[in-house]
Amino acid sequence: MATANSQALRISSLSSSTSLSLSSKLPLSSAFSLSFRPSRRAARPLVVFVSAGLDAKPTVLVSEKLGEAGLKLLKEFANVDCSYNLSPEELCTKISLCDALIVRSGTKVTREVFESSAGRLKVVGRAGVGIDNVDLAAATEHGCLVVNAPTANTVAAAEHGIALLAAMARNVAQADASVKAGKWERNKYVGVSLVGKTLAVMGFGKVGSEVARRAKGLGMNVIAHDPYAPADRARAIGVELVGFEEAIATADFISLHMPLTPATNKMLNDETFAKMKKGVRIVNVARGGVIDEDALVRALDSGIVAQAALDVFTVEPPPKDSKLILHEKVTATPHLGASTMEAQEGVAIEIAEAVVGALKGELASTAVNAPMVPSEVLTELKPYVDLAEKLGRLAVQLVAGGSGVKTVKVTYASARAPDDLDTRVLRAMITKGLIEPISSVFVNLVNADFTAKQRGIRITEERVILDGSPESPVEFIQVQIANVESRFASAISDSGEIKVEGRVKDGIPHLTKVGSFEVDVSLEGSIILCRQVDQPGMIGKVGSVLGEENVNVSFMSVGRIAPRKHAVMAIGVDEQPSKETLKKIGDIPAVEEFVFLKL
């Protein structure tokens, strides 16, 4: 077995001034008795619970047109309400009856929408990449997962960007309109060549990198600006990453591919246009808000910008009298970036799968308001996620009524380097286990940190570096709650905190330590913990009491400090024993204390 190195790494903490009172919540009951529950050996839902009853399907509201393939997937799992062109008031009225909402770019999912849902809305799916039409802060506060479809329309958007680039350079749209008007103006529509010109790709994500690949194939010199893009990925396709100022100053063509955020809002403005090479040409298939449209009109009029090709606008559709749209040097399309048959179906399938998966309780790798954890990491951590939540539930149930949970310490023991172990999901599930049993709040990966901070729970994390093979991501997880009294005195460690520890064995979470006592019980069903005098016949006596009351025992483990001293017996039961049954256990002379814990 791996041995612990003395080094412990502190990772993060959350704090606030309010304490969380447990006085009125114990004994505990299931907070979500109407949610979907898998079998005992199946992984519990990790992100969201469907709020409908066990026999009812969840309801998904689709507020904008979605491909038939996606609708078919949704209808296999849920009741689907396709209601298009809803006013904000109509959306707020409908949303209280829905578990999920799927939108494109035209529906604004505001704070009012989340408040109107009264807690029922669990997932918002954005059929596309950009999520600037969704209030992420409000979604997080209300525990609503937001997922998008970031890959299906990547090629379509990149192709449209290249199409606009070439059409702009050769005046295709203007020449087409001229010919259809009965004119033949060959000299007026002389264009420029792309070969040898410098293209600055602003935003080197999925779409930006695909545009860069295609532009390289057209013989262009491609540079890119993206503060988060890895240089080696850019070099692999022959692109040089440069600073923002250098990119806009040296480019003959600029192609925009960044999201709309407070930092990128009106990024291209009078000041930045003044720094560009005279005669620059601009393509935008990202978000209209990244360009100050009035400033662009001025730059076009002055000749700083020779032409612009735009697929997106600050207001969509733009006003009919928009100076930008009517400008003779502007080529405009009505947000067609993802509008290919293949992309529409792909986006529909991708978002439908993400929404259905989230409603089933699966962790979503495309979540945008939760930690972005790669799918392979989620798969590996799945049994440890289950362990983390159950340790949280056990620990908080050991707290005596009247105590306030303020300080929680989580320790992860692993042979992996800190950079190779992402504990955000584990911390969120421990928080879920700590808070849900003693409150009416729904906790998930989205709002775990926010909810803990709001309730004054300060969670610190430490990692113990182990010697040995890093095959398993975590050797054990330990949860400690400080400055509280315990319903089970034996759960108090030598340092004075309630302490529980667990491991994953053969894919199943196990409780391996309570306080200072070593145990080994599978975390399934419910558990009875008994502290007793270590003497012969105790297992038989307790087992007989449970058997007489028709309570099935699934497992039993005894941990002791030394022979004939004190021991802790951990008993797994399939049914919740009656109060009379538990009293009979407590009346056994050698039993000094006991507690029933519901998982």
Side-chain angles (χ1 to χ4, degrees):
M1 182 178 292
T3 58
N5 188 301
S6 61
Q7 182 182 12
L9 305 178
R10 177 153 299 175
I11 306 301
S12 63
S13 66
L14 299 167
S15 63
S16 183
S17 59
T18 309
S19 66
L20 178 63
S21 174
L22 312 183
S23 58
S24 63
K25 298 295 185 178
L26 298 172
L28 302 168
S29 62
S30 175
F32 291 97
S33 59
L34 295 181
S35 59
F36 285 102
R37 302 284 186 181
S39 64
R40 277 195 291 130
R41 289 192 174 271
R44 288 172 50 111
L46 307 178
V47 177
V48 295
F49 289 97
V50 177
S51 58
L54 286 170
D55 298 323
K57 285 184 175 183
T59 297
V60 178
L61 173 61
V62 180
S63 67
E64 296 177 70
K65 190 172 181 180
L66 194 70
E68 284 299 323
L71 290 175
K72 182 179 178 181
L73 281 173
L74 290 171
K75 290 174 181 177
E76 291 174 355
F77 176 75
N79 297 315
V80 179
D81 177 0
C82 294
S83 296
Y84 306 148
N85 302 314
L86 294 173
S87 68
E89 293 76 18
E90 290 170 332
L91 177 59
C92 287
T93 299
K94 269 185 169 289
I95 204 65
S96 63
L97 303 175
C98 301
D99 303 287
L101 169 66
I102 295 180
V103 303
R104 299 188 75 86
S105 60
T107 302
K108 304 298 182 185
V109 190
T110 62
R111 178 173 293 275
E112 288 72 26
V113 173
F114 292 106
E115 290 173 350
S116 298
S117 76
R120 179 165 176 176
L121 184 64
K122 300 303 180 189
V123 191
V124 172
R126 164 65 167 95
V129 180
I131 40 79
D132 44 281
N133 57 318
V134 180
D135 189 331
L136 289 182
T140 300
E141 290 174 24
H142 288 80
C144 183
L145 188 70
V146 180
V147 295
N148 66 350
T151 61
N153 63 3
T154 296
V155 170
E159 288 177 346
H160 194 61
I162 292 295
L164 287 177
L165 181 77
M168 174 179 61
R170 299 305 298 270
N171 300 300
V172 171
Q174 293 85 348
D176 174 73
S178 174
V179 171
K180 288 178 178 177
K183 302 176 183 179
W184 193 260
E185 301 173 295
R186 295 182 63 191
N187 293 333
K188 182 176 180 179
Y189 296 116
V190 175
V192 295
S193 178
L194 299 178
V195 173
K197 298 298 194 304
T198 296
L199 170 67
V201 176
M202 310 300 284
F204 200 68
K206 291 183 175 67
V207 177
S209 58
E210 290 300 322
V211 167
R213 292 177 191 274
R214 287 157 176 76
K216 292 287 291 184
L218 294 172
M220 301 187 79
N221 171 43
V222 181
I223 59 176
H225 169 71
D226 189 324
Y228 307 107
D232 56 346
R233 182 163 64 87
R235 285 194 297 267
I237 58 176
V239 174
E240 179 187 3
L241 287 178
V242 299
F244 179 80
E245 300 287 338
E246 182 180 350
I248 64 172
T250 58
D252 301 300
F253 292 81
I254 295 175
S255 189
L256 303 178
H257 303 285
M258 70 277 286
L260 180 60
T261 67
T264 62
N265 186 41
K266 295 186 178 181
M267 177 178 280
L268 298 194
N269 49 46
D270 286 313
E271 182 181 351
T272 51
F273 285 131
K275 297 177 181 178
M276 295 179 185
K277 181 188 293 186
K278 187 175 177 62
V280 68
R281 289 170 167 84
I282 296 174
V283 176
N284 187 9
V285 294
R287 285 289 175 267
V290 301
I291 298 178
D292 182 334
E293 293 179 349
D294 292 335
L296 177 54
V297 170
R298 290 189 288 271
L300 287 163
D301 289 339
S302 68
I304 293 175
V305 177
Q307 291 175 293
L310 310 173
D311 186 49
V312 289
F313 305 90
T314 302
V315 176
E316 295 184 357
K320 293 181 179 180
D321 60 350
S322 166
K323 292 182 179 179
L324 183 63
I325 298 296
L326 298 175
H327 204 288
E328 63 176 356
K329 296 179 181 178
V330 171
T331 299
T333 53
H335 205 145
L336 298 178
S339 295
T340 65
M341 291 185 291
E342 296 83 358
Q344 293 293 298
E345 287 300 293
V347 166
I349 292 170
E350 185 175 6
I351 198 61
E353 289 176 341
V355 167
V356 169
L359 286 174
K360 287 180 177 178
E362 299 169 1
L363 289 167
S365 59
T366 61
V368 294
N369 64 333
M372 295 300 293
V373 184
S375 57
E376 62 271 16
V377 174
L378 296 179
T379 300
E380 183 182 44
L381 287 180
K382 193 170 184 179
Y384 301 91
V385 166
D386 197 16
L387 170 65
E389 182 186 346
K390 289 183 175 179
L391 288 176
R393 286 184 176 271
L394 284 178
V396 79
Q397 290 182 76
L398 289 168
V399 176
S403 298
V405 175
K406 298 179 181 179
T407 305
V408 178
K409 178 182 174 183
V410 181
T411 302
Y412 312 98
S414 175
R416 293 190 178 179
D419 291 343
D420 292 334
L421 177 62
D422 191 333
T423 63
R424 294 172 296 176
V425 178
L426 301 178
R427 181 178 73 240
M429 292 304 108
I430 289 170
T431 304
K432 177 183 176 73
L434 288 168
I435 294 176
E436 278 194 359
I438 54 173
S439 77
S440 60
V441 175
F442 177 86
V443 182
N444 57 30
L445 182 61
V446 177
N447 66 348
D449 285 353
F450 173 83
T451 304
K453 186 174 182 179
Q454 190 179 50
R455 282 160 176 73
I457 303 177
R458 181 175 179 268
I459 299 178
T460 61
E461 295 180 284
E462 289 187 356
R463 299 186 193 181
V464 176
I465 308 300
L466 302 178
D467 299 324
S469 171
E471 290 183 7
S472 298
V474 181
E475 182 69 18
F476 66 80
I477 300 174
Q478 184 182 98
V479 177
Q480 298 181 67
I481 303 178
N483 305 315
V484 294
E485 297 179 1
S486 177
R487 297 170 62 208
F488 187 67
S490 300
I492 300 293
S493 66
D494 294 337
S495 55
E497 301 92 3
I498 289 177
K499 180 169 72 175
V500 292
E501 184 177 300
R503 301 169 185 257
V504 171
K505 299 183 178 182
D506 298 323
I508 304 297
H510 281 65
L511 177 67
T512 54
K513 181 176 283 189
V514 177
S516 300
F517 291 89
E518 303 280 349
V519 295
D520 187 7
V521 292
S522 175
L523 289 175
E524 300 176 283
S526 299
I527 292 177
I528 302 171
L529 295 177
C530 299
R531 187 181 70 180
Q532 66 198 46
V533 176
D534 185 32
Q535 63 184 41
M538 289 303 300
I539 292 176
K541 291 178 181 179
V542 175
S544 295
V545 169
L546 293 171
E548 289 170 1
E549 299 297 327
N550 199 32
V551 176
N552 191 49
V553 174
S554 56
F555 51 80
M556 189 175 288
S557 172
V558 177
R560 61 186 184 179
I561 298 174
R564 304 282 178 168
K565 299 277 185 183
H566 291 97
V568 167
M569 182 188 306
I571 309 155
V573 292
D574 292 334
E575 297 85 20
Q576 180 170 345
S578 66
K579 292 181 180 179
E580 292 74 18
T581 302
L582 293 173
K583 185 178 183 302
K584 288 181 181 180
I585 293 175
D587 288 342
I588 296 173
V591 172
E592 298 176 333
E593 64 170 339
F594 71 94
V595 65
F596 172 74
L597 305 172
K598 189 172 183 178
L599 294 175

